[in-house]
Amino acid sequence: DVKVTQSSRYLVKRTGEKVFLECVQDMDHENMFWYRQDPGLGLRLIYFSYDVKMKEKGDIPEGYSVSREKKERFSLILESASTNQTSMYLCASSLGQVKDTQYFGPGTRLTVL
Amino acid sequence: SQQGEEDPQALSIQEGENATMNCSYKTSINNLQWYRQNSGRGLVHLILIRSNEREKHSGRLRVTLDTSKKSSSLLITASRAADTASYFCATAQTNAGKSTFGDGTTLTVKP
């Protein structure tokens, strides 16, 4: 079975802090994704990566950056956390094409105070 | 606006009844996928239907796709309390690499 793990289930940070969210997948998938999920807004794509060191902006990249130095790991970085970045963050991966089936991690609920 | 939109937003039924959720989209697609999310957890893939397919089954799940109406439906037969979750459709647009998720339908199955 594909396993996607996220570094934390719950995280509390202060405004202005630099925040790292880590995601690791163990199935040699080409593509990895970061979403945020907010009530009434569904899942919104922040960034995705289709190869090591490659990244593309999703629908809401502002305030975020990403890093993919190794195939199995995709990091989401909040350079200076703000309260409006309080959300559930979901990581996913897919094999082959970006539009193929995605396998999700359990999510990180981030609260920025 | 979202490419895929689920309807209804919320659905409450008794155990044993069937549940039907719909997804409408705006532009042509390569495939459409349905996912389930239990409260506070990640999404789990249920089924993928390609644009040249009209119907797929998986256990108690039946998915239909009508590309002329740009809509899909997910039917869960003989529902169980464990089916209580949010259900999302994701559409892979023909002219875009990625899939886009809708806002989801929240299904409650009462025992």
Side-chain angles (χ1 to χ4, degrees), chain B residues 77-91:
Chain B
T77 59
S79 64
R80 306 166 181 168
D83 295 328
T84 294
S86 292
Y87 292 82
F88 295 85
C89 70
T91 52

Side-chain angles (χ1 to χ4, degrees), chain B residues 6-7 12-13 37 39 42 45-46 61-62 76 79-80 96-97:
Chain B
E6 291 91 342
D7 172 65
S12 181
I13 59 174
Q37 183 182 34
S39 181
H45 181 257
L46 296 176
L61 306 181
R62 173 178 166 245
I76 304 173
S79 64
R80 306 166 181 168

Side-chain angles (χ1 to χ4, degrees), chain A residues 36-45 60, chain B residues 2 88 101-104:
Chain A
R36 65 177 282 176
Q37 184 177 26
D38 301 286
L41 296 176
L43 270 76
R44 294 180 292 168
L45 181 64
I60 51 162
Chain B
Q2 296 282 3
F88 295 85
F101 287 79
D103 293 343

Side-chain angles (χ1 to χ4, degrees), chain B residues 26-93:
Chain B
K26 295 181 173 65
T27 61
S28 64
I29 60 172
N30 282 317
N31 67 56
L32 185 147
Q33 301 172 49
W34 285 92
Y35 291 80
R36 183 188 75 230
Q37 183 182 34
N38 290 88
S39 181
R41 309 295 295 180
L43 278 71
V44 174
H45 181 257
L46 296 176
I47 203 163
L48 181 152
I49 187 165
R50 301 189 193 286
S51 59
N52 61 353
E53 298 174 309
R54 292 296 166 258
E55 187 171 312
K56 285 190 86 167
H57 296 255
S58 177
R60 293 183 296 111
L61 306 181
R62 173 178 166 245
V63 169
T64 61
L65 179 64
D66 186 335
T67 52
S68 66
K69 294 181 179 179
K70 292 187 170 57
S71 68
S72 173
S73 67
L74 169 66
L75 169 67
I76 304 173
T77 59
S79 64
R80 306 166 181 168
D83 295 328
T84 294
S86 292
Y87 292 82
F88 295 85
C89 70
T91 52
Q93 298 168 54

Side-chain angles (χ1 to χ4, degrees), chain A residues 49-55 67-71:
Chain A
S49 168
Y50 52 89
D51 200 353
V52 176
K53 297 191 187 293
M54 305 303 290
K55 61 185 180 185
S67 171
R68 193 165 180 205
E69 295 297 317
K70 293 185 178 181
K71 192 174 186 180

